[in-house]
Each structure stands twice: as structure tokens, then as C-alpha cells.
Amino acid sequence: MDCRLGCGACCIAPSITSPIPGMPDGKPAGVRCVQLDENNLCKIFGQPERPLLCARFVATVDVCGDSDEEAFWLITNLEADTQV
């Protein structure tokens, strides 16, 4: 599956604990990454400063669903299900 450009669910819905340029402590779930532009595209995509977690993310139907809205729902639920 290819990413749906402009979705941004993977840059908003999950928490990211590794440092992100402009967010040295990472980001909490539901908070928009500062590296996400106004079109929901990553400003540091392909750059060495992009967190490894982000670089390793692969869009799949079970995580991204069939729409941007479904992706937000799925990732939000995965985040909630994996909290200790």
C-alpha cells in the first residue's frame, strides 16, 4: 500500500518518544508533529534528522485503513491499546 499523501494520521495520532527536530522530547498522542506542513506532508521526509521510527513506518491497510479518517481511528485505537 502507498501512503495517502496529505493524510498525516501517523504524524498526529501516535505518541513518538524519540526526539524530533523542534520536539526534543518527542510528542504525545494526538499532538500534531511540528514537522508536518500545512498540506500534512513531512518537512524532513528523507532527511537524516528524521526519527528512525518515522523512517521505518510502512503504510499498511491494517494501520491506515481505506481513508484518512479510518487511519486516525485505527492509529488512535492502537495507541490506546498499547498504553501500559
Side-chain angles (χ1 to χ4, degrees):
M1 159 175 202
D2 292 326
C3 276
R4 285 185 298 277
L5 293 180
C7 171
C10 60
C11 303
I12 301 169
S15 60
I16 299 176
T17 57
S18 57
I20 301 165
M23 300 180 103
D25 298 321
K27 64 169 233 52
V31 172
R32 183 180 182 83
C33 178
V34 298
Q35 296 301 329
L36 202 57
D37 72 13
E38 63 279 351
N39 296 310
N40 283 349
L41 300 174
C42 180
K43 294 186 269 188
I44 57 172
F45 186 85
Q47 302 299 313
E49 60 270 20
R50 187 173 180 218
L52 186 58
L53 172 74
C54 300
R56 288 185 173 170
F57 179 79
V58 177
T60 61
V61 174
D62 59 324
V63 174
C64 301
D66 294 319
S67 67
D68 299 355
E69 294 78 18
E70 189 175 9
F72 274 93
W73 185 85
L74 287 167
I75 295 171
T76 298
N77 283 303
L78 284 169
E79 177 74 26
D81 289 347
T82 58
Q83 293 304 304
V84 180

